[in-house]
Amino acid sequence: MNNSNTVPAGYRTNAQGHLIPESQVKPVDKLRDEVVMMIVGAARQQRQLLAAFKLESMQRIADFTDLSASEYGVEYGGTKGNVTLVSFDGRYKLIRAVGEHRVFDERIQAAKALIDTCISEWSGGADERIMALVDHAFRVNKQGRIDINQVLGLRQLDINDPKWNEAMDAVADAIQVSGTSQYLRIYERQADGNYQQISLDLAKL
């Protein structure tokens, strides 16, 4: 496929990578290309502006919380770096949320073996249903990973068995935090007193 930087003057590269003389490109195709490229260029600019806005906003929140904690002894928000700030009139609310990226390490296979052993030792009509739940929970997602929330859902089953409890502890031990992400959410109070998020998602505008 031809690189756009090496396209000779008077030609365009089509979707198949072929060089097409400008004279053979229909006006409607040129206009369509112009519309697409204009919107894509504007979208890239907006993405950069949003990234800069998030970075600046997060820094302002961090600076304020550090200042208030050190000079005024006031702390905001909850645990794990989450912060909630409300405007003086209560109309606006900012939430900085820190989310953890969690994955299972190799110990999840040992936990799965404990669960399988536990079920195989039981008797009764519930075994097949529980096994189906376990098999569903341990399915891999599109990224080839086991969904942590699905497996943790097994801990909600009301099963009073020492080996099952040991298996559930093994599941918890297999969880590792691989990183964190910061999220900024902005809310405006409505007439009914509830806060509605100010969406920065194109699909929700």
Side-chain angles (χ1 to χ4, degrees):
M1 184 176 291
N2 291 291
N3 188 293
S4 59
N5 294 328
T6 61
V7 175
Y11 286 83
R12 293 194 184 203
T13 304
N14 67 10
Q16 289 75 41
H18 304 146
L19 288 175
I20 307 297
E22 285 276 358
S23 60
Q24 294 183 18
V25 180
K26 296 179 181 179
V28 67
D29 292 334
K30 291 181 180 180
L31 181 59
R32 183 188 306 109
D33 184 69
E34 181 180 340
V35 170
V36 170
M37 298 308 295
M38 183 182 301
I39 293 176
V40 169
R44 290 185 182 278
Q45 288 183 339
Q46 291 301 319
R47 186 174 185 274
Q48 292 176 350
L49 288 172
L50 276 175
F53 164 73
K54 178 184 177 182
L55 186 63
E56 181 180 358
S57 299
M58 289 298 193
Q59 188 60 55
R60 285 179 179 270
I61 292 173
D63 290 345
F64 170 74
T65 53
D66 288 345
L67 177 67
S68 64
S70 62
E71 294 192 13
Y72 301 100
V74 178
E75 294 192 7
Y76 298 81
T79 60
K80 297 184 179 179
N82 295 344
V83 171
T84 300
L85 303 177
V86 181
S87 63
F88 186 74
D89 61 3
R91 181 178 179 183
Y92 298 105
K93 177 170 64 176
L94 307 179
I95 296 180
R96 182 191 70 189
V98 180
E100 293 180 340
H101 302 296
R102 301 178 300 168
V103 296
F104 285 124
D105 63 21
E106 73 286 349
R107 290 176 290 182
I108 193 59
Q109 299 303 327
K112 177 65 162 59
L114 283 172
I115 293 173
D116 290 343
T117 300
C118 190
I119 294 176
S120 68
E121 292 179 356
W122 294 342
S123 61
D127 292 359
E128 290 184 2
R129 294 195 295 271
I130 294 176
M131 181 60 81
L133 287 173
V134 170
D135 288 341
H136 177 78
F138 277 86
R139 290 188 307 177
V140 296
N141 57 23
K142 294 180 180 179
Q143 289 74 40
R145 295 177 177 174
I146 297 172
D147 189 312
I148 284 183
N149 292 327
Q150 290 283 357
V151 177
L152 290 181
L154 297 175
R155 295 168 62 91
Q156 299 177 4
L157 297 176
D158 186 16
I159 298 175
N160 186 18
D161 183 284
K163 288 188 177 181
W164 177 266
N165 293 333
E166 180 184 355
M168 293 301 99
D169 290 342
V171 166
D173 290 341
I175 298 175
Q176 298 292 320
V177 177
S178 61
T180 59
S181 294
Q182 289 192 343
Y183 304 93
L184 175 62
R185 299 185 180 95
I186 307 171
Y187 296 86
E188 183 177 12
R189 190 173 62 188
Q190 305 302 299
D192 60 4
N194 293 318
Y195 282 94
Q196 180 176 333
Q197 186 171 358
I198 299 175
S199 177
L200 298 177
D201 183 349
L202 277 177
K204 297 180 180 179
L205 295 178

